[in-house]
Amino acid sequence: MTYPVWYVPFGSAWIIAVIATVHVFISHFAIGGGLMLVLLEATASRHDDEALKGWLKRRSRFFLLLTLVLGALTGVGIWFTISLISPAATSTLIRLFVWVWAIEWVFFLAETMAILVYYYTWDRLDPFAHRIVGWIYFGSAYLSLVAINGILAFQLTPGRWLASGSLWDAFFNPTNLPSLVARTLVCFILAGLFTLFGLAFTKTGPRPDLVRRSLLWVGIPLASLPLVLFWYFKAIPPEQRLIAAAVPYFNHLALTALFAMAAIALLAAAVWFSRGKVALRQFAAIMLLLGLFGFGSAEWLREDLRLPYLIVGNTYANGVAVSALPELRSQGLLATSQWSSVKAVTRQNEAQAGKEIFVMACSQCHTVRSRLIPLGPRLASLDEGFASWLAYRTDLMRGGMPPFPGTAAEAEAVAHYLRVAALPEAISSDGASVFRRRCGVCHTMSGSFRPLARVFEGEKAEDAVSVLNDLQSFSSDMPKWTGSETEKSALAQWLVAQSNPAKKGAS
Amino acid sequence: MVAPVAPESLALPSPPWLLQGLGELTLAIHFLFMNVALGGTLLAAVYAVKGKARHLEAGFGLARALPFAMAYAIAFGVAPLLFVQVLYGRFFYTAAILIAPLFLAIVAALILAYSAIYFLAWRWDALKWGRLVALAVVFISLCYVGFVQANLFTLMCRPNLFRGMYLARPGGFQLNGGEATLLPRLLHFALGAIAIASLFVAMQGLRKLRLAPEQGRWQYRSGATWFAGSTVANMAIGLWWLFGLPREEWSLFMGRDLWATIIFAGAIFFAVTALVLVHLAIGSPRPRRIFILAASAAVLTVVGMVFMRATLREAELRPFYDAAAAPVSTQWGAAALFGVIFIAALVLMTYLARLAIRAFPPPEGPPLGSGGYRFKNTG
Ligand code: HEM
């Protein structure tokens, strides 16, 4: 591997998750909010509305702090973080898109200057010139989104670039446009939510006309978002969608995002139709929080859509270059890496070797025994043979994992290290939990991931036992049964019961 | 020998001279703003401690400018960060990973400093002891940022240390402590920051000459004195840094490499010029013009220093990497697009600057050239 892996025992993924969630939230708001400011300023000057102007003035101070301090610096923070956590992919993105980044930087510079001038020149410029400054701010902020969006979309759908290597193919990739439209809508929604929140907390009480206006900013884009998201998903190659759908928490994220959208829509409707009778403060605060959760989950979902890659078809999620995989599988990860102290697995160094491999190949998504998908307790509760089998076949399991980038002996070392580094979790030998441990990592019963229900349809428990005795005849990727006889019969009965629910009810 | 780091997977997207040139120019601008932020914080604290009305007036002038200095230090930090990653990615990323937690904490320090800066700028009058506390927060945070940057950018040039450091601490809690030139390097940056910030104080003094000649004169002299003191001291520190380098590196600037020697000589020349001019402005009938020349010379000194720093890095990395020999596959179209957008943005930003100037017209006062505008030798 080109770069060493920064080892964070509690999971480096947390760091990026926290910084990225804050940043995307603020940066999208910074765009929509900028537009909202100038539009409301126009309203204020059309009606000579000093109260509204005063409010906007105070808001622009908050806005300045939020975008310049938190927005810009969490942006720098994301860049720092991905440089540390995914240096290989970052280097590729930086080299390929250097001019796009440079253009983005120009917009950022203009944006910084415009927001400073905007804030400091209230009442010092004629209203028209002041609004022009606001428009310059909004324009440059939006254009920087256009630049960055192309790069983010590229990671998921590099499209023709994989063959051509051309910058334009990379930038104008299949999900660029739908993703840009979706982000634009999100900018409006967040601007509406923030404005509503701000209005709710004004001392003089919210002005109904402005409340309605911000509700429209939320409602109209929200209503069109589902269609745009559908367009976006359609632009993703089906095989990529399938991998993502097999990630166990994929559905949770999707449901959270959908739930948040629906709830925001409902609450917005309630505020709209109640004509000021609902408690606006509480409603606005909840809507804003829902926006944070919904948008956060959607962004996370988008990151997972590109699993097992960071740049689809080019770099795996653990930083291994797709082109380097064959060499790693034949020569071994330890032997080819500059960053390992051990060069080959032996009986004496197995734990150390396993740890180094774990850090290089798995620690981007897993921990040994912390909260983020801990592997130690899980593997410690399995027998060694089965655990090693799994470690070597990560790409077959649910989770959108990259292929194991090393030899079978190295996979055994990882499994060994993880098994001795943690206490086994309490296990029960009822059918459902045996299934979860021994089959569920590679199969679902009824879902879309190598479903098993149809195999055991109309079968009896004895048939299921003979299937379990002969797993390798179905696929050489499947491990031999290494569990106990009690577990086997419990599992067999459970499999049959699950696959034939109607019969169970009838008899 | 195995190379300590493997090459990047993509070719350079443009010829190295272009990337390098843009990187160093934006870095020089980064340094200027960073200097006003860092040195300005220190000077503001000194003035706040001294506490007379004229000190507080000068301190307030700095405090009000800090948000702008910080905003542009950040904006102009982003660009060189981009170019250094393009050119030296394999060294930069590895060094950053080796000190990862301390590197990442830069972001927290920046957020802290920036928030405190706005607090100061907007609440200066209401604060009393709070001023010093806030200034201390800003100063310590910014020093932290500079300290880690210096560690990072020196470590980056020591690929031979990488493997050992990583195997010792894969979690990254370490710095480049063994670097012999780290201390003079840090002092050099710190004194440079004070010098540029004191020029800024002097400039604000000049602007006050018309309306508040007393304050203006005092402030100009104060700035000029700080500038002289820090710059003279910095020459000594600079020599310490230079001759702390191995012979084959310092000799580059002493004639072994023509280009490096010209840059070094030029930088020294401009520094001395700035020193002389800043003091000539006192007592001149046209202080403003002379000051502009002095400030330009100081800026050119910084530009020269930036290119010296780049030359040094190139020399240190030569055994491992030669940018000039790296594979290049130029995206001319995109580079041209960048150029066009950059020029358009410059036009737009000039327009913004003119609006800002229109919004803050210079204060009314006696016309140019009349007595109040000049330095009186009585001071
Ligand atoms: C205001 C706070 C900051 C301070 C006090 C500061 C200070 C410094 C110092 C002292 C150096 C020189 C290090 C050395 O060579 O020994 C430096 C270099 C650098 N800084 Fe900053 N910095 C600040 C903010 C930033 C930010 C926000 C960024 C980027 C987003 C940045 C990017 C850089 C880069 C890229 C270099 C070196 C570039 C190169 O070597 O080509 N800085 N900074």
Side-chain angles (χ1 to χ4, degrees), chain A residues 5-6 95-96 99 105 338 340, chain B residues 10 14 75 163 166 171 331:
Chain A
V5 175
W6 173 32
R95 285 205 162 197
L96 175 59
W99 295 114
W105 170 74
Q338 337 245 3
S340 54
Chain B
L10 291 183
S14 291
R163 194 178 125 86
Y166 180 70
Q331 308 161 343

Side-chain angles (χ1 to χ4, degrees), chain A residues 272-493:
Chain A
W272 179 276
F273 290 110
S274 76
R275 299 183 177 278
K277 282 199 275 299
V278 296
L280 190 60
R281 291 189 175 185
Q282 283 81 340
F283 269 64
I286 294 174
M287 285 163 79
L288 197 58
L289 273 183
L290 284 167
L292 182 62
F293 276 111
F295 190 33
S297 334
E299 284 283 348
W300 193 351
L301 200 67
R302 175 187 60 72
E303 304 249 312
D304 281 348
L305 274 170
R306 55 177 190 235
L307 288 178
Y309 302 102
L310 277 176
I311 300 172
V312 170
N314 176 272
T315 312
Y316 286 113
N318 50 6
V320 170
V322 173
S323 58
L325 190 71
E327 195 201 343
L328 293 173
R329 300 270 295 189
S330 64
Q331 312 287 306
L333 182 57
L334 294 173
T336 46
S337 169
Q338 337 245 3
W339 311 106
S340 54
S341 70
V342 176
K343 291 297 162 193
V345 183
T346 62
R347 197 170 268 287
Q348 288 77 35
N349 70 15
E350 197 171 11
Q352 177 64 20
K355 174 170 185 179
E356 292 186 359
I357 299 163
F358 172 79
V359 170
M360 285 193 268
C362 323
S363 72
Q364 294 83 355
C365 312
H366 289 287
T367 58
V368 178
R369 48 173 180 261
S370 177
R371 274 187 60 86
L372 186 83
I373 329 182
L375 287 180
R378 182 57 58 92
L379 293 189
S381 62
L382 299 173
D383 56 276
E384 180 127 24
F386 185 51
S388 312
W389 188 277
L390 290 185
Y392 193 53
R393 287 167 182 77
T394 44
D395 51 336
L396 292 180
M397 289 188 266
R398 307 172 64 190
M401 278 184 273
F404 184 78
T407 61
E410 289 178 326
E412 276 173 35
V414 174
H416 173 78
Y417 161 68
L418 290 166
R419 282 168 47 77
V420 297
L423 295 173
E425 55 191 15
I427 53 170
S428 109
S429 34
D430 70 87
S433 58
V434 176
F435 175 80
R436 209 166 44 240
R437 281 198 302 281
R438 298 206 165 259
C439 319
V441 286
C442 298
H443 293 283
T444 52
M445 279 312 285
S446 54
S448 59
F449 196 65
R450 294 193 204 105
L452 290 181
R454 57 192 168 77
V455 178
F456 296 99
E457 226 168 44
E459 305 269 310
K460 297 203 181 55
E462 304 86 77
D463 308 323
V465 169
S466 57
V467 168
L468 293 177
N469 283 333
D470 199 18
L471 285 174
Q472 286 206 302
S473 70
F474 289 96
S475 160
S476 57
D477 282 325
M478 252 196 295
K480 279 202 190 68
W481 177 263
T482 49
S484 69
E485 287 304 312
T486 349
E487 283 183 325
K488 192 193 282 173
S489 64
L491 175 60
Q493 279 165 17

